[in-house]
């Protein structure tokens, strides 16, 4: 069998090689775009939040964050904590509106618990990023809490224990480049600002404070803007007169990937949208996404046409309405390399930078028209930063930097206008004695496996017909072998609830790829004797990365509150959650299927 598997792999490799040799395609590793993120949303669900978050601002904030995220390689995870992890959803890739709806439904299902320990949530967020983040994405943690602890006096855990664990988790997050943005919820005036401010400061995040949902668009827009180098564009604030009121929406150029328009109102609004030609567009549609919640309406324009759009808003009379917009651009800012030479005080370093799209310089003068660029010079020896204005040439930015002393310097260029902000990666100019080179600064957190490498091509000579025959036969044999040894995709998260006490276990993640053909729930529960009846609850791999559950036990299986008949098998899709009620013990097993 082992020899057969090796032969199959060899045949597949040859097949891939032939395909690319014949087509002339060249392979390379994907480059970091810098515009995607891996985000973990962390929320305190202790009973104290009933007062400090009486309007469920935390839920609205998390759902709005999900709605603002683009559908392109971003990942989102969610954690709810008290003095333990109550529920969590590991990082999942957001590829569709349904993925977003699944995450928002998970957020709405979160329930309160008795105690709270902020260190628990922060520690778990770091673990989730460690386990599932994409090195090409920007990591971020958003913590929503009142900053207060309320520990269980019946346990042995002390405030000193919590403070120590929190300090360690924050230190690890900071060292790994995981910024923590904290949103302090202060409906009852009992907010612990000091703790939340310190968490943000120590991880290069930011602290925000709110007691009502009307500040959320600005807060979340600032988080997106700060983290992904975007810019918030205030559109309009007004008091509704009960009639349709028109708002101008300007799309400045054709490089806008997405325009997120947030309409904030405590009461529902009716909206219509008209494109630059004056034609009303359908809401929602493939190009215009529409999301609603208790506190906001969100429009996401995907690759919108350049020009002046019109938004019509009809709200409840005397209701305040705030409209903000944030753009995501298909543009990066790149600085030309500085020729390697021996630098010293008094030398002039030429600086050039330009906007780039898909690896090509942008030639449109309209994009540059309103932009200003600045060279940021950080003296790494004296730890001081200066700014030098650059000239806008209409096709880029130019200037120079005169080295004032034999120090090491970090150079970056930033470019911005009213709706756009970008920074270049840092360039190190070393003028210390005996150094004298200029080199790019590597990212703070670099995954060696993500470095760009050429594909190890091998020359294929002769025997083409025989090779193709071998490939065909080998692939056919491989397909037969795969059918007989079908593997699983993804993993499941398991929580066990004691129905007598209400206590929940921490989620346990079980990777399924170690199993072939089928796996019994009892195996995943580590063969614990009290769960013997789950021996007859069996999972099978399904088509298109689905999971089939079959139940021949006396256990009751529910999904979304409805009892399922799975005696002949039932398909579970990504993010499906089921409850398995046991009969021999008064406990339930919750299973989340994660792909």
């Amino acid at each position: 069998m082992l020899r057969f598997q090796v032969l199959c792999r060899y045949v597949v490799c040859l097949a891939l090689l032939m395909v690319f040799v014949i087509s002339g395609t060249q392979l390379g590793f994907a480059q970091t775009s810098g515009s995607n993120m891996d985000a973990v949303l962390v929320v305190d669900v202790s009973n104290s939040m009933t007062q400090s978050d009486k309007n469920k601002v935390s839920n609205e904030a998390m759902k709005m964050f999900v709605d603002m995220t683009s559908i392109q390689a971003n990942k989102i995870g969610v954690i709810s904590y008290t003095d333990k992890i109550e529920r969590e959803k590991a990082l999942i890739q957001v590829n569709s509106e349904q993925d977003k709806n699944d995450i928002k439904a998970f957020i709405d299902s979160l329930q309160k618990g008795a105690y709270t320990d902020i260190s628990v949530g922060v520690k778990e967020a770091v673990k989730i990023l460690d386990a599932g983040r994409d090195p090409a994405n920007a990591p971020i943690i958003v913590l929503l809490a009142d900053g207060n602890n309320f520990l269980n006096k019946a346990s042995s855990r002390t405030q000193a224990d919590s403070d120590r664990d929190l300090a360690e988790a924050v230190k690890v997050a900071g060292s790994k480049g995981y910024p923590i943005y904290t949103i302090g919820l202060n409906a009852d005036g009992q907010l612990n600002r000091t703790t939340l401010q310190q968490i943000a400061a120590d991880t290069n995040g930011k602290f925000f404070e709110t007691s009502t949902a009307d500040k959320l668009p600005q807060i979340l827009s600032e988080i997106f803007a700060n983290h992904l180098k975007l810019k918030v564009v205030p559109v309009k604030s007004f008091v509704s007169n009960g009639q349709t009121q028109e708002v101008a929406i300007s799309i400045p150029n054709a490089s806008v990937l997405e325009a997120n328009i947030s309409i904030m109102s405590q009461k529902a609004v009716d909206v219509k949208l008209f494109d630059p030609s004056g034609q009303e567009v359908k809401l929602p549609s493939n190009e215009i996404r529409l999301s609603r919640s208790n506190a906001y309406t969100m429009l996401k324009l995907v690759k919108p046409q350049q020009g002046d759009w019109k938004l019509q808003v009809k709200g409840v009379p005397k209701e305040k309405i705030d409209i903000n917009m944030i753009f995501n651009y298909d543009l990066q800012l790149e600085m030309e390399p500085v020729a390697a030479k021996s630098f010293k005080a008094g030398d002039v370093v030429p600086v050039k930078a330009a906007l780039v799209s898909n690896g090509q310089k942008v030639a449109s003068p309209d994009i540059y028209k309103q932009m200003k660029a600045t060279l940021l010079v950080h003296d790494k020896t004296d730890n001081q930063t200066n700014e030098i204005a650059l000239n806008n040439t209409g096709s880029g930015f130019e200037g120079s930097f005169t080295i004032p002393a034999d120090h090491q310097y970090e150079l970056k260029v930033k470019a911005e206008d009213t709706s756009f902000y970008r920074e270049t990666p840092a360039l190190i100019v070393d003028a210390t004695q005996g150094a004298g080179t200029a080199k790019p600064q590597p990212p703070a957190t670099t995954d060696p496996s993500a470095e760009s490498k050429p594909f190890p091509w091998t020359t294929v000579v002769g025997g083409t017909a025989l090779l193709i025959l071998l490939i065909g036969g080998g692939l056919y044999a491989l397909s037969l072998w795969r059918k007989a040894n079908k593997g699983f995709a993804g993993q499941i998260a398991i929580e066990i609830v004691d129905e007598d006490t209400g206590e929940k276990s921490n989620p346990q993640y079980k990777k399924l790829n170690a199993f072939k053909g089928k796996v019994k729930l009892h195996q995943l529960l580590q063969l614990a004797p009290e769960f013997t009846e789950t021996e007859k609850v069996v999972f099978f791999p399904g088509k298109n990365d689905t999971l089939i559950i079959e139940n021949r036990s006396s256990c009751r299986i529910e999904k979304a509150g409805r009892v399922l008949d799975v005696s002949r098998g039932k398909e579970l899709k990504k993010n499906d959650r089921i409850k398995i009620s046991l009969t021999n013990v008064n406990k339930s097993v919750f299973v989340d299927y994660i792909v």
Side-chain angles (χ1 to χ4, degrees):
M1 178 61 71
L2 180 59
R3 290 180 178 176
F4 180 71
Q5 293 179 36
V6 171
L7 175 61
C8 289
R9 291 181 185 137
Y10 175 69
V11 168
V12 171
C13 289
L14 286 175
L16 287 172
L17 183 59
M18 282 296 294
V19 168
F20 287 110
V21 168
I22 292 170
S23 66
T25 304
Q26 293 185 349
L27 291 181
F29 288 88
Q31 301 298 310
T32 301
S33 69
S35 61
N36 298 323
M37 66 168 70
D38 290 340
V40 181
L41 309 177
V42 187
V43 61
D44 179 352
V45 292
S46 63
N47 286 333
S48 67
M49 293 290 283
T50 305
Q51 296 303 317
S52 57
D53 187 24
K54 60 181 66 175
N55 296 317
K56 290 192 174 181
V57 173
S58 57
N59 280 23
E60 297 301 311
M62 290 190 291
K63 289 189 290 185
M64 182 176 283
F65 186 98
V66 172
D67 281 330
M68 290 177 74
T69 304
S70 64
I71 304 174
Q72 54 169 44
N74 292 287
K75 291 182 178 180
I76 296 177
V78 182
I79 295 171
S80 68
Y81 72 91
T82 52
D83 61 340
K84 62 180 183 291
I85 300 301
E86 294 291 337
R87 293 281 304 282
E88 71 177 77
K89 181 179 284 291
L91 286 169
I92 63 167
Q93 191 158 313
V94 180
N95 294 320
S96 66
E97 287 300 314
Q98 186 57 50
D99 290 339
K100 289 187 175 184
N101 291 336
D102 291 343
I103 297 172
K104 290 188 289 184
F106 179 84
I107 290 168
D108 281 333
S109 73
L110 301 178
Q111 297 180 344
K112 294 285 191 289
Y115 305 101
T116 185
D117 184 342
I118 196 169
S119 69
V120 171
V122 176
K123 284 174 61 178
E124 192 66 17
V126 172
K127 288 181 182 177
I128 282 185
L129 280 175
D130 284 345
R133 69 169 293 243
D134 185 339
N137 290 1
I140 178 176
I141 297 170
V142 180
L143 172 64
L144 301 105
D146 60 13
N148 296 303
N149 271 1
F150 181 55
L151 303 179
N152 185 353
K153 295 180 180 179
S155 72
S156 59
R157 187 165 176 79
T158 66
Q159 183 63 46
D161 294 331
S162 176
D163 291 344
R164 182 186 63 251
D165 288 349
L166 178 60
E168 179 61 27
V170 168
K171 181 180 179 181
V172 171
S175 68
K176 293 185 174 183
Y178 299 168
I180 303 177
Y181 292 82
T182 57
I183 302 177
L185 305 171
N186 195 29
D188 60 353
Q190 301 299 312
L191 179 67
N192 181 351
R193 293 180 183 84
T194 302
T195 296
L196 297 177
Q197 287 171 337
Q198 194 67 49
I199 291 172
D202 289 349
T203 59
N204 200 31
K206 278 191 174 183
F207 165 75
F208 302 91
E209 176 183 339
T210 185
S211 57
T212 59
D214 58 356
K215 292 183 180 179
L216 287 182
Q218 186 66 24
I219 289 174
L220 292 174
S221 293
E222 284 192 38
I223 290 175
F224 271 76
N226 188 70
H227 195 61
L228 294 181
K229 306 304 181 189
L230 306 177
K231 209 163 190 181
V232 183
V233 183
V235 176
K236 193 170 184 178
S237 294
F238 58 91
V239 176
S240 173
N241 58 15
Q243 304 298 316
T244 296
Q245 292 169 269
E246 195 166 272
V247 178
I249 301 294
S250 177
I251 304 300
N253 56 67
S255 293
V256 174
L257 274 181
E258 295 179 339
N260 291 290
I261 305 171
S262 61
I263 306 165
M264 198 68 196
S265 173
Q266 294 298 313
K267 296 180 181 178
V269 297
D270 293 327
V271 294
K272 293 183 179 180
L273 186 66
F274 298 83
D275 66 22
S277 70
Q279 183 74 29
E280 182 176 358
V281 296
K282 183 181 178 182
L283 299 178
S285 65
N286 290 335
E287 293 77 26
I288 312 292
R289 314 274 166 71
L290 174 65
S291 306
R292 295 185 185 274
S293 187
N294 295 333
Y296 68 86
T297 298
M298 178 79 69
L299 287 173
K300 182 186 288 289
L301 283 60
V302 181
K303 294 184 178 178
Q305 179 184 348
Q306 179 181 352
D308 295 326
W309 296 58
K310 291 180 182 178
L311 177 68
Q312 290 185 352
V313 181
K314 183 179 181 181
V316 175
K318 298 183 179 181
E319 181 71 15
K320 184 182 177 183
I321 297 176
D322 291 310
I323 302 176
N324 288 289
M325 185 159 55
I326 190 167
F327 292 119
N328 187 11
Y329 279 92
D330 183 23
L331 293 172
Q332 300 300 324
L333 183 64
E334 292 186 1
M335 183 164 42
E336 288 189 11
V338 176
K341 57 168 286 186
S342 188
F343 290 106
K344 63 182 184 302
D347 284 349
V348 177
V349 180
V351 175
K352 291 185 178 181
L355 296 170
V356 175
S357 177
N358 293 321
Q360 301 295 320
K361 285 188 177 181
V362 175
S364 172
D366 289 340
I367 294 179
Y368 286 97
K369 192 173 183 180
Q370 302 297 326
M371 284 192 187
K372 294 182 179 180
T374 305
L375 176 66
L376 305 176
V377 181
H378 179 67
D379 188 328
K380 295 176 72 69
T381 306
D382 290 345
N383 197 29
Q384 294 181 352
T385 301
N386 294 313
E387 297 188 3
I388 300 172
L390 299 178
N391 296 321
N392 185 336
T393 66
S395 59
F397 310 102
E398 294 184 359
S400 63
F401 163 58
T402 301
I403 299 175
D406 291 334
H407 292 175
Q408 188 181 73
Y409 300 91
E410 181 183 84
L411 308 184
K412 288 194 295 187
V413 175
K414 71 174 182 180
E416 59 185 325
D417 64 13
T418 55
S419 66
F420 177 85
Y421 183 94
R422 283 291 187 274
E423 283 185 5
T424 66
L427 178 75
I428 297 297
V429 172
D430 198 342
T432 55
Q433 293 292 334
T437 57
K439 56 186 178 181
Q441 173 73 1
T445 53
T446 302
D447 184 345
S449 65
E451 293 179 359
S452 180
K453 302 175 183 177
F455 191 84
W457 292 105
T458 303
T459 304
V460 180
V461 181
T464 303
L466 179 60
L467 179 59
I468 293 175
L469 183 62
L470 176 62
I471 290 170
L475 290 177
Y476 177 71
L478 180 61
S479 67
L480 295 177
W481 180 83
R482 280 180 171 171
K483 287 180 180 179
N485 296 270
K486 186 173 177 61
F488 291 85
Q491 59 183 329
I492 62 174
I494 296 175
E495 293 175 293
I496 300 172
V497 178
D498 188 319
E499 299 293 351
D500 293 325
T501 64
E503 291 187 2
K504 298 179 183 178
S505 68
N506 290 334
Q508 299 293 316
Y509 290 88
K510 308 290 184 180
K511 292 186 177 181
L512 298 174
N513 56 10
F515 301 96
K516 302 295 181 185
K518 67 178 181 180
V519 59
K520 299 174 182 178
L521 179 58
H522 195 216
Q523 293 173 261
L524 300 174
L525 294 172
Q526 299 178 334
L527 305 178
E530 65 176 332
F531 301 131
T532 303
E533 60 189 302
T534 61
E535 179 79 17
K536 295 183 180 180
V537 179
V538 184
F539 296 101
F540 301 90
K543 296 180 180 179
N544 300 320
D545 292 342
T546 58
L547 193 64
I548 306 297
I549 182 172
E550 186 176 290
N551 180 29
R552 297 300 176 90
S553 72
S554 57
C555 300
R556 185 176 75 252
I557 298 180
E558 302 173 45
K559 178 184 175 185
R562 298 176 59 185
V563 177
L564 302 177
D565 179 9
V566 295
S567 59
R568 295 185 179 180
K570 184 74 175 179
E571 183 181 72
L572 299 180
K573 297 181 180 179
K574 180 177 68 172
N575 298 326
D576 276 354
R577 178 177 174 85
I578 58 172
K579 177 183 179 182
I580 303 171
S581 299
L582 309 182
T583 56
N584 295 342
V585 292
N586 196 20
K587 294 185 177 182
S588 298
V589 179
F590 287 85
V591 174
D592 287 274
Y593 180 44
I594 305 168
V595 179

